[in-house]
Amino acid sequence: MRVFGVTGWKNAGKTGLMERLVAEFTGRGVSVSTLKHAHHSFDVDPPGKDSRRHREAGARQAMLSSSNRWALMTELRGAQEPTLADLLARLDPVDLVLIEGWKRDRHPKVEAWRAETGHRLIAPGDPTIRAVAAKGDPGPLDRPLLDLDDTGAIADFIAAEVGL
């Protein structure tokens, strides 16, 4: 599987870019999966639902299934968070996996950056960031600068980078 990431600081536009890239690539006939890193406790299972009750009772894994989708939830119960490589190995094969987050991992990435957030660029000193997709002027760069709103150009860049 080809892997490419979208990284950046909070409110840089990562999730919006991911959403647009998934739509762009699937529109081109590319099969896509995504991985999103959460920096806080999250739960996709609402309180009171049967599967939530199973997990709260101590189940290590709870699987939900319907005619539309299935989901597997795993409780770490104090165990180490799986690595990105471990999580990628659990995905079904697709043409492209887009990863949101995981700034410090070594996969290739595009950095989403917006001047209005006031955050510094991550790209300087990080060779895994192959391009910056910006809204505003990030200043001089030693790698390609893309318009954060030009999803097609960003998708073209990623496709060229991963050989799609």
Side-chain angles (χ1 to χ4, degrees):
M1 288 189 294
R2 296 164 177 95
V3 173
F4 206 90
V6 173
T7 195
W9 299 113
K10 184 176 180 172
N11 296 320
K14 298 179 302 293
T15 302
L17 178 57
M18 286 281 291
E19 182 180 12
R20 294 190 318 271
L21 285 171
V22 169
E24 178 73 23
F25 279 117
T26 57
R28 295 179 183 191
V30 176
S31 60
V32 179
S33 288
T34 64
L35 268 169
K36 160 78 173 123
H37 191 261
H39 290 283
H40 46 75
S41 180
F42 73 94
D43 202 328
V44 297
D45 207 11
K49 293 295 184 181
D50 293 350
S51 52
R52 171 79 171 253
R53 292 172 58 196
H54 297 174
R55 291 185 306 121
E56 288 172 346
R60 184 164 183 272
Q61 291 188 308
M63 184 178 287
L64 293 147
S65 182
S66 75
S67 60
N68 294 326
R69 71 190 54 87
W70 67 270
L72 175 63
M73 292 165 285
T74 301
E75 293 294 322
L76 294 177
R77 306 224 185 272
Q80 185 98 4
E81 179 180 359
T83 66
L84 179 57
D86 291 338
L87 295 170
L88 286 168
R90 293 176 180 263
L91 291 175
D92 290 342
V94 291
D95 298 323
L96 177 64
V97 178
L98 292 172
I99 299 170
E100 182 178 344
W102 278 283
K103 283 182 196 79
R104 290 162 189 43
D105 278 81
R106 306 314 298 163
H107 58 283
K109 306 168 193 75
V110 62
E111 179 178 354
W113 183 87
R114 294 188 312 158
E116 65 205 47
T117 67
H119 292 294
R120 64 173 175 77
L121 281 171
I122 300 168
D126 186 343
T128 67
I129 297 177
R130 305 283 203 260
V132 174
K135 189 167 189 165
D137 181 10
L141 292 172
D142 62 351
R143 62 205 77 203
L145 174 62
L146 305 166
D147 181 339
L148 183 59
D149 295 324
D150 191 345
T151 307
I154 298 168
D156 289 343
F157 178 85
I158 292 170
E161 283 282 306
V162 300
L164 277 175

